[in-house]
Amino acid sequence: NGGCGMVLSVPSKAVQVLTPFNHRCPICSFQVIHIRNRETGKDHKLCPYCFNYPPQDLHPGVKDLRCFQCAYSACALAGGR
C-alpha cells in the first residue's frame, strides 16, 4: 500500500487520546481520527491529510484544519458551513 509510507503530523499532547473514527474524509478519502483531551473532556475530529494540507480552495491561508472548522458542505462533520 503506497499510503503506508506517508507520515502526517497530528495534534499531540500527553493529555490527548487519539482513536480512529468510523468516517472517511470526502475531500481526500483519509480516515478521520477522534481526539479527546482527558483534562478538559473536550473532543473533536480531524482528517490527518486535511490537517496538514488544508484544501486552499475552501480555506485560503488556513493551516492546521480540523473538521469543526471545515466548510465542505457534503461532509457531516464539517462545522464551518
Side-chain angles (χ1 to χ4, degrees), residues 16-65:
Q16 290 180 329
V17 178
L18 308 175
T19 55
F21 187 71
N22 190 23
H23 183 83
R24 291 217 174 256
C25 175
I27 296 172
C28 65
S29 299
F30 267 72
Q31 172 78 46
V32 171
I33 60 174
H34 180 254
I35 300 175
R36 179 163 184 80
N37 184 310
R38 290 186 300 227
E39 284 183 352
T40 65
K42 293 183 179 180
D43 61 351
H44 66 278
K45 285 133 188 105
L46 71 80
C47 164
Y49 189 84
C50 290
F51 179 76
N52 286 273
Y53 305 104
Q56 292 300 299
D57 57 329
L58 287 173
H59 307 284
V62 171
K63 296 179 182 176
D64 302 341
L65 181 69

